[in-house]
């Protein structure tokens, strides 16, 4: 078993991408999962470490990372010590970060006997699921896609409850309260401007409709953060996709931050079982 934690990968936007790599040292190539966290998320959130060990048990390699501008740092990879970076994040930066991650692992000769770069699955949770859809549709190196509680519309995700676009433009910043950490998290107006400039590329609907690879959609029917309608739309736009409903499950499949238990929540375990079967048996 080999676990490499919190090593930096150079991105395109002057900030390092904090990265973890997990694989069993067997001198045999194995499938690779690249995992994308969601909004106000990070690679070490909640039960993600237990998730990582479950991929190891299934002999699937895992690469998970923090988007460079998610508000975390190399020294503090959880919570949000760098709110200035958070405020300067946008969807294009996240797509660029994901491309940097894919480029790095595909060119990392030291892992060529352990990781099959011709068998890469993208997994994305929440907003990370939307980013994964966009990247999978434009990058032929991705062979399978799994989305967990994913957004189907990034335009909606920019406007939080009570937000006013004209006020955002006037102030130059919109603050969103993080209910857990109590931080006032900034979104600078560049976030909106960048979306408008790249609206065509950032259409999840267009990306889903042109998807040519196997796509597994998993969503809880009691998700109050990203309603189940998002999963239904993704499934409708890509008729070859497979939709799995997690009954009575919330947005994070029963997990929380911190997660101190030694076992996964029941719903999260179900999601992982379905995901690993899709990756290894398809």
């Amino acid at each position: 078993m080999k676990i490499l934690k919190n090593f930096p990968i150079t991105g395109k936007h002057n900030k390092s991408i904090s990265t973890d790599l997990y694989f069993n040292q067997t001198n045999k190539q194995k499938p690779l999962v690249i995992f994308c966290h969601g909004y106000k998320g990070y690679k070490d959130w909640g039960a993600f470490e237990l998730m990582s060990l479950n991929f190891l048990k299934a002999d699937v390699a895992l690469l998970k990372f923090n988007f460079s501008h998610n508000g975390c740092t190399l020294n503090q990879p959880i919570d949000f010590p760098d709110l200035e970076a958070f405020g300067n994040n946008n969807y294009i930066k996240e797509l660029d970060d994901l491309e940097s991650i894919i480029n790095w692992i595909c060119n990392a000769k030291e892992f060529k006997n352990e990781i099959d770069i011709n068998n890469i699955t993208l997994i994305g949770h929440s907003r990370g699921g939307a980013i994964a859809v966009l990247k999978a549709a434009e990058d032929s190196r991705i062979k399978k896609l799994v989305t967990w509680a994913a957004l189907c519309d990034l335009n909606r995700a920019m406007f939080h409850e009570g937000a006013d676009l004209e006020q955002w433009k006037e102030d130059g910043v919109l603050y969103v309260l993080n209910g857990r950490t109590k931080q006032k998290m900034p979104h600078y107006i560049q976030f909106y401007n960048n979306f408008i400039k790249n609206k065509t590329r950032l259409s999840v609907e267009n990306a889903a409709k042109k998807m040519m690879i196997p796509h597994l959609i998993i969503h809880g029917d009691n998700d109050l953060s990203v309603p189940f309608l998002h999963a239904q739309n993704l499934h409708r736009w890509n008729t070859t996709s497979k939709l799995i409903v997690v009954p009575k499950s919330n947005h994070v499949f029963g997990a929380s931050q911190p997660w101190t238990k030694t076992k996964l929540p029941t719903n999260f375990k179900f999601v992982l079982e379905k995901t690993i079967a899709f990756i290894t048996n398809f």
Side-chain angles (χ1 to χ4, degrees):
M1 180 187 298
K2 186 78 170 179
I3 300 177
L4 305 172
K5 293 280 292 182
N6 296 321
F7 60 90
I9 289 177
T10 303
K12 297 181 178 180
H13 299 281
N14 301 314
K15 289 189 77 66
S16 295
I17 303 167
S18 182
T19 308
D20 300 341
L21 179 63
Y22 300 70
F23 61 91
N24 293 318
Q25 290 182 291
T26 60
N27 203 35
K28 180 181 177 182
Q29 290 187 331
K30 50 198 70 72
L32 172 69
V33 162
I34 299 177
F35 179 77
C36 306
H37 67 75
Y39 174 64
K40 291 191 288 189
Y42 39 85
K43 65 181 177 61
D44 298 303
W45 185 91
F48 286 168
E49 181 63 21
L50 285 178
M51 170 194 80
S52 305
L53 297 177
N54 272 263
F55 281 116
L56 276 178
K57 288 178 184 177
D59 204 23
V60 174
L62 172 70
L63 187 59
K64 60 185 176 75
F65 65 98
N66 283 340
F67 287 109
S68 63
H69 286 69
N70 77 328
C72 299
T73 65
L74 285 172
N75 293 328
Q76 291 179 266
I78 66 169
D79 292 337
F80 309 100
D82 191 350
L83 289 179
E84 185 67 14
F86 183 92
N88 282 296
N89 195 17
N90 58 53
Y91 301 134
I92 295 299
K93 285 179 179 175
E94 294 193 350
L95 284 169
D96 286 346
D97 287 346
L98 182 50
E99 182 177 6
S100 294
I101 288 287
I102 298 168
N103 288 344
W104 175 79
I105 192 63
C106 285
N107 291 297
K109 295 179 180 178
E110 63 268 38
F111 306 121
K112 64 177 182 166
N113 293 329
E114 301 288 352
I115 294 172
D116 183 0
I117 60 170
N118 294 308
N119 189 358
I120 298 177
T121 300
L122 268 189
I123 300 179
H125 175 249
S126 193
R127 191 169 102 179
I131 295 297
V133 171
L134 295 173
K135 181 52 70 178
E138 67 182 25
D139 194 324
S140 62
R141 294 173 294 183
I142 306 307
K143 305 305 182 187
K144 301 186 190 78
L145 172 68
V146 183
T147 49
W148 296 348
L151 289 160
C152 73
D153 184 351
L154 287 175
N155 184 41
R156 289 187 214 171
M158 290 193 299
F159 297 100
H160 300 270
E161 187 176 349
D164 179 85
L165 178 56
E166 294 308 313
Q167 191 67 49
W168 191 6
K169 289 179 178 179
E170 182 179 334
D171 296 341
V173 61
L174 168 69
Y175 289 98
V176 175
L177 179 67
N178 186 320
R180 183 177 60 82
T181 67
K182 307 306 178 187
Q183 293 165 292
K184 291 177 64 178
M185 308 188 76
H187 295 269
Y188 297 121
I189 194 61
Q190 63 80 31
F191 185 71
Y192 171 80
N193 293 336
N194 183 267
F195 175 80
I196 296 302
K197 179 181 177 182
N198 297 282
K199 199 169 184 178
T200 300
R201 185 186 179 197
L202 294 172
S203 170
V204 179
E205 179 178 355
N206 289 346
K209 285 180 175 178
K210 72 176 186 179
M211 191 78 62
M212 300 296 291
I213 60 174
H215 180 192
L216 175 64
I217 302 164
I218 305 181
H219 212 113
D221 62 6
N222 194 33
D223 188 334
L224 302 181
S225 298
V226 178
F228 185 66
L229 176 63
H230 286 254
Q232 292 173 309
N233 284 339
L234 287 173
H235 186 45
R236 177 166 55 86
W237 295 334
N238 179 3
T239 56
T240 63
S241 63
K242 180 180 181 181
L243 173 60
I244 294 178
V245 184
V246 189
K248 300 180 181 179
S249 180
N250 65 7
H251 186 57
V252 288
F253 308 115
S256 60
Q257 170 61 25
W259 185 259
T260 57
K261 299 178 182 179
T262 57
K263 294 183 178 180
L264 287 166
T266 300
N267 284 335
F268 202 147
K269 182 180 178 183
F270 172 80
V271 169
L272 268 181
E273 288 172 350
K274 295 298 184 182
T275 298
I276 290 170
F278 175 78
I279 293 168
T280 57
N281 298 330
F282 197 92

